[in-house]
Amino acid sequence: MKDQLDKIREDALKQIEASDALEKLNEIRVAYLGKKGELTSVLKSMKDVPPEERPKVGQMVNDARAIIENRLEEAKASLAKKAREEQMKREVIDVTLPAKRNNVGHSHPNTIALEEVERIFVGMGYEVVEGPEVEYDLYNFEKLNIPKNHPARDEQDTFYINDSIVLRSQTSPVQVRTMEQGKLPIRMIAPGRVFRSDEVDATHSPSFHQIEGLVIDKNITFADLKGTLAEFAKELFGPETKVKFRPHHFPFTEPSAEVDVTCFKCGGSGCRFCKGSGWIEILGCGMVHPNVLRMSGIDPDEYSGFAFGVGLERIALLKYEIDDMRLLYENDIRFLRQF
Ligand code: DAH
């Protein structure tokens, strides 16, 4: 029995010595120490050993098991160490190599222009508010004094979701939403995306951006509107800039005007940029129509106000002298980096 045990132990140790992989060590463990392993079968044959010898033989089996287990653990540890050393050799990091450049994007000209416009109006005490891009016909048209069948609806050739819901064709509905909240006075601008069923070309896109402005208080007059927009134009295009108000029609303001600024390229003498006229149109505006005030729950005998609407792309194209609106939507980083 002793010889048999010695042989088993020696065989096991020899095999462990020769192993070069963890799987092999596992196989050896199963072959010798497992349920059907060699040592276990020795234990099973104990019934043939005379009873007085059994404790001694049992002790020898346990000793052999302990030795094999120990050696297996040692071999496992040394294999793991070797694997780690090899991995360290393989994965040398050269800390002197230059770091990878972290590519950050670039603000879009629309964003830069919007932040500029927001800075100017926030500086004059305006709040920046937002409204939904999917809007009720009621807000986009009706409550802005544009009833069903009004020709102004054609001009804005709208995307309809259903009979009563549209993709807003202007930011003007945010005027109504703000007035309906009932907090007066109001001084706000509302930037956002608008939609019209326009073909794409150098000056049109089915989706673009506007910035709406609204002031409601007691005793607001056209003089306030003029002063505000003159100041805005100077801040945006330079202190020499002059403004011109041309009478116009918008259903939700009365009187209404379109505003031109002196061409910041030629100073007003006429150049290619302003097509020789010396003036560049930048926005629409007017005194809020009494019907609009009334429909939003404001008494036109007590309060008055002005509103304006600026095309954000128009400002960005002018300010950065970009001659094709489509460039704004291509998101080519080489283009964007120029601003
Ligand atoms: N909503 C007008 C448009 O999209 C622009 C506009 C004109 C807005 C006059 C105004 C305004 O608030 O008073 O053409």
Side-chain angles (χ1 to χ4, degrees):
M1 189 64 94
K2 181 170 186 313
D3 291 347
Q4 195 193 344
L5 274 172
D6 285 346
K7 184 166 175 347
I8 292 174
R9 195 188 62 221
E10 288 314 310
D11 283 353
L13 296 186
K14 238 183 258 161
Q15 284 186 32
I16 292 170
E17 191 82 34
S19 303
D20 55 3
L22 283 175
E23 306 87 78
K24 281 197 187 143
L25 291 177
N26 274 333
E27 280 164 24
I28 296 168
R29 179 188 296 279
V30 172
Y32 288 92
L33 311 179
K35 265 193 193 140
K36 291 179 183 155
E38 303 220 14
L39 270 185
T40 320
S41 68
V42 172
L43 277 180
K44 279 181 190 153
S45 61
M46 282 285 248
K47 55 183 185 313
D48 305 328
V49 176
E52 64 280 13
E53 300 260 316
R54 283 184 194 163
K56 222 176 108 198
V57 175
Q59 184 62 46
M60 285 192 319
V61 173
N62 282 343
D63 288 350
R65 167 180 284 274
I67 288 169
I68 295 171
E69 242 161 26
N70 247 332
R71 203 56 78 76
L72 276 170
E73 282 312 309
E74 279 170 23
K76 210 167 120 186
S78 104
L79 274 181
K81 194 173 161 216
K82 227 162 88 195
R84 189 158 163 67
E85 275 165 6
E86 257 155 39
Q87 186 191 19
M88 300 280 263
K89 262 187 235 152
R90 247 185 296 122
E91 298 179 1
V92 180
I93 296 170
D94 182 352
V95 293
T96 67
L97 280 175
K100 265 195 198 148
R101 202 174 276 275
N102 199 1
N103 244 337
V104 289
H106 190 284
S107 286
H108 193 279
N110 273 355
T111 308
I112 307 173
L114 175 59
E115 281 172 358
E116 178 71 6
V117 172
E118 286 181 347
R119 186 190 63 74
I120 295 168
F121 281 106
V122 168
M124 293 196 254
Y126 286 58
E127 213 182 328
V128 181
V129 305
E130 275 181 27
E133 291 173 5
V134 181
E135 184 56 283
Y136 291 109
D137 177 283
L138 188 67
Y139 287 111
N140 195 74
F141 294 123
E142 303 261 334
K143 291 194 173 209
L144 287 167
N145 213 22
I146 311 174
K148 292 243 169 354
N149 303 321
H150 192 289
R153 289 193 180 219
D154 292 344
E155 237 168 71
Q156 306 208 349
D157 227 354
T158 315
F159 293 113
Y160 277 85
I161 303 283
N162 59 34
D163 278 352
S164 57
I165 298 176
V166 299
L167 297 187
R168 68 175 175 193
S169 61
Q170 46 186 353
T171 43
S172 305
V174 189
Q175 290 187 31
V176 178
R177 288 181 173 273
T178 309
M179 287 189 282
E180 281 190 349
Q181 284 180 357
K183 269 185 269 158
L184 293 167
I186 294 167
R187 252 189 256 128
M188 69 79 165
I189 56 169
R193 190 185 290 271
V194 300
F195 306 84
R196 291 182 194 182
S197 160
D198 282 336
E199 295 287 338
V200 174
D201 65 25
T203 54
H204 290 89
S205 160
S207 152
F208 57 104
H209 300 78
Q210 290 185 334
I211 305 162
E212 197 73 16
L214 177 69
V215 171
I216 307 279
D217 204 344
K218 290 181 173 155
N219 305 316
I220 297 290
T221 69
F222 204 95
D224 298 307
L225 171 59
K226 280 186 93 169
T228 302
L229 293 182
E231 195 53 36
F232 166 62
K234 279 189 191 142
E235 286 264 352
L236 193 61
F237 294 115
E240 309 302 321
T241 312
K242 292 198 185 70
V243 287
K244 175 165 80 173
F245 285 68
R246 273 182 294 105
H248 197 78
H249 172 263
F250 296 105
F252 36 88
T253 43
E254 181 58 36
S256 306
E258 278 187 335
V259 173
D260 300 344
V261 294
T262 42
C263 175
F264 46 83
K265 206 73 200 275
C266 63
S269 55
C271 67
R272 257 186 56 215
F273 202 70
C274 54
K275 299 193 183 89
S277 76
W279 295 94
I280 296 173
E281 181 197 323
I282 61 160
L283 57 82
C285 65
M287 301 306 291
V288 180
H289 197 294
N291 286 354
V292 173
L293 291 172
R294 232 176 268 120
M295 279 188 273
S296 293
I298 295 175
D299 180 357
D301 292 329
E302 198 181 348
Y303 284 93
S304 57
F306 63 77
F308 55 89
V310 192
L312 178 58
E313 277 80 357
R314 184 152 179 78
I315 299 289
L317 296 179
L318 286 173
K319 216 169 149 51
Y320 305 114
E321 300 182 23
I322 303 165
D323 57 8
D324 192 325
M325 189 171 176
R326 285 167 288 200
L327 289 165
L328 291 178
Y329 304 119
E330 283 170 359
N331 276 341
D332 185 331
I333 191 79
R334 294 166 302 178
F335 167 76
L336 297 177
R337 281 226 179 85
Q338 300 173 67
F339 308 101

